[in-house]
Amino acid sequence: MSLGLVANRYAKALLQIALKEESVLEMSQALHRFTEMQKNYSDLSHLIQLSIIHPKKKANVVDDILEKSTFSSTFRHFIRVVTEAGRLHLLSHIQTRFNHLVDEREGRLEAQVSSAHPLTESQQESLIVLLSKRTGKKVRLACVMDPRLVGGLKVQVNSTIIDASIVGLLHQMKLKLLTQS
């Protein structure tokens, strides 16, 4: 079974639990917080990646860490199940799928925005309004800096890409010139 399918199953299960307990936001925040802990603490990240440690022992250690970090018992139980199944290394995939499922449920889309320079708040708000009108859904931006774009921006919503970067425009001009010759 592909990693995406496995992550999707766990994400769906977590969403069902969160909906039942009316704690979708809390679960989303807990997932984010725990994945950030993994990134920031190399010992935790190393523990998660080690396959020589028995999953039940790993689950006990991770649960102790989560308990000391004041995660909810429901989230701790979910992580225990994932860890004992030997799937904790998929947590970032589970988080991505969980967020996507929540967004679908709430009629929201995430737009990946790459820009050469940071967007101001007003630019972000304008882009959100424009994309919301175009898609008919609430839009959340995920902004990243990419100096290779030189200027402008590149927006991806699902499989649609809008390239309004200087590099993209120069590439389009080059193609036009080559096809006209």
Side-chain angles (χ1 to χ4, degrees), residues 61-124:
V61 172
V62 170
D63 188 55
D64 287 344
I65 292 168
L66 294 177
E67 184 178 24
K68 289 176 182 164
S69 300
T70 65
F71 282 88
S72 73
S73 60
T74 303
F75 183 75
R76 286 178 33 223
H77 180 72
F78 173 76
I79 294 298
R80 175 175 285 282
V81 168
V82 172
T83 306
E84 288 178 356
R87 305 289 193 183
L88 192 56
H89 64 283
L90 296 177
L91 193 63
S92 64
H93 297 289
I94 294 169
Q95 178 187 17
T96 299
R97 287 301 306 146
F98 179 84
N99 290 337
H100 182 74
L101 291 168
V102 170
D103 285 348
E104 276 181 0
R105 183 169 175 72
E106 295 179 358
R108 186 174 49 222
L109 291 172
E110 181 176 89
Q112 304 288 329
V113 180
S114 301
S115 61
H117 306 284
L119 297 177
T120 64
E121 236 178 89
S122 66
Q123 289 171 324
Q124 288 182 26

